[in-house]
Amino acid sequence: QVQLVESGGGLVQAGGSLRLSCVVSGHTLSGYAMGWFRQAPGKEREFLAAITWSGGTTYYADSVKGRFTISADNAKNTVYLQMNNLKPEDTAVYFCAAVWDHRPIYRGDTYDYWGQGTQVTVSS
């Protein structure tokens, strides 16, 4: 029903920036919420940010508020995560996810569809 493909990860120095992209395909997208998560080895999956596809309502984890920005381009069916002032502790695999909901959802177990992930590595 919904397919997600992330891209944009890579190696950056501390203080640098990256923009992750998530291309979304599916029959109906306007009713979905989209989220970004990350997971480092040995750690739990962590919520970062979410946005509603149609209304653009956003919600951020306190840990990234002010550094990360989630946005959506309806014409390109793409959700972005702009990451600024990156730190070594941001190193992780980053995933995008989708769920049928009118709210930006922060619970990972609520999401039904997940991308394959993209690696972000921040060097000091």
Side-chain angles (χ1 to χ4, degrees):
Q1 183 178 355
V2 176
Q3 295 179 348
L4 314 173
V5 179
E6 304 100 328
S7 63
L11 174 64
V12 298
Q13 294 181 340
S17 300
L18 282 174
R19 189 178 73 164
L20 306 182
S21 299
C22 176
V23 178
V24 184
S25 62
H27 185 264
T28 302
L29 301 177
S30 62
Y32 282 86
M34 305 293 303
W36 282 100
F37 298 79
R38 68 186 180 190
Q39 188 166 20
K43 295 185 178 181
E44 295 288 327
R45 182 178 58 200
E46 179 186 9
F47 167 78
L48 301 174
I51 188 170
T52 55
W53 188 258
S54 59
T57 304
T58 59
Y59 185 81
Y60 293 92
D62 289 340
S63 61
V64 302
K65 192 178 300 182
R67 293 195 301 129
F68 292 7
T69 303
I70 190 171
S71 62
D73 186 331
N74 291 338
K76 296 182 178 180
N77 293 332
T78 302
V79 178
Y80 303 96
L81 186 68
Q82 178 67 46
M83 305 186 296
N84 298 325
N85 191 25
L86 285 163
K87 306 173 181 179
E89 53 263 41
D90 294 319
T91 296
V93 177
Y94 284 67
F95 299 89
C96 64
V99 62
W100 183 267
D101 205 291
H102 68 285
R103 303 164 297 172
I105 301 299
Y106 65 88
R107 287 185 57 175
D109 57 3
T110 303
Y111 284 83
D112 296 313
Y113 306 98
W114 294 83
Q116 82 289 347
T118 185
Q119 176 71 46
V120 172
T121 303
V122 184
S123 62
S124 59

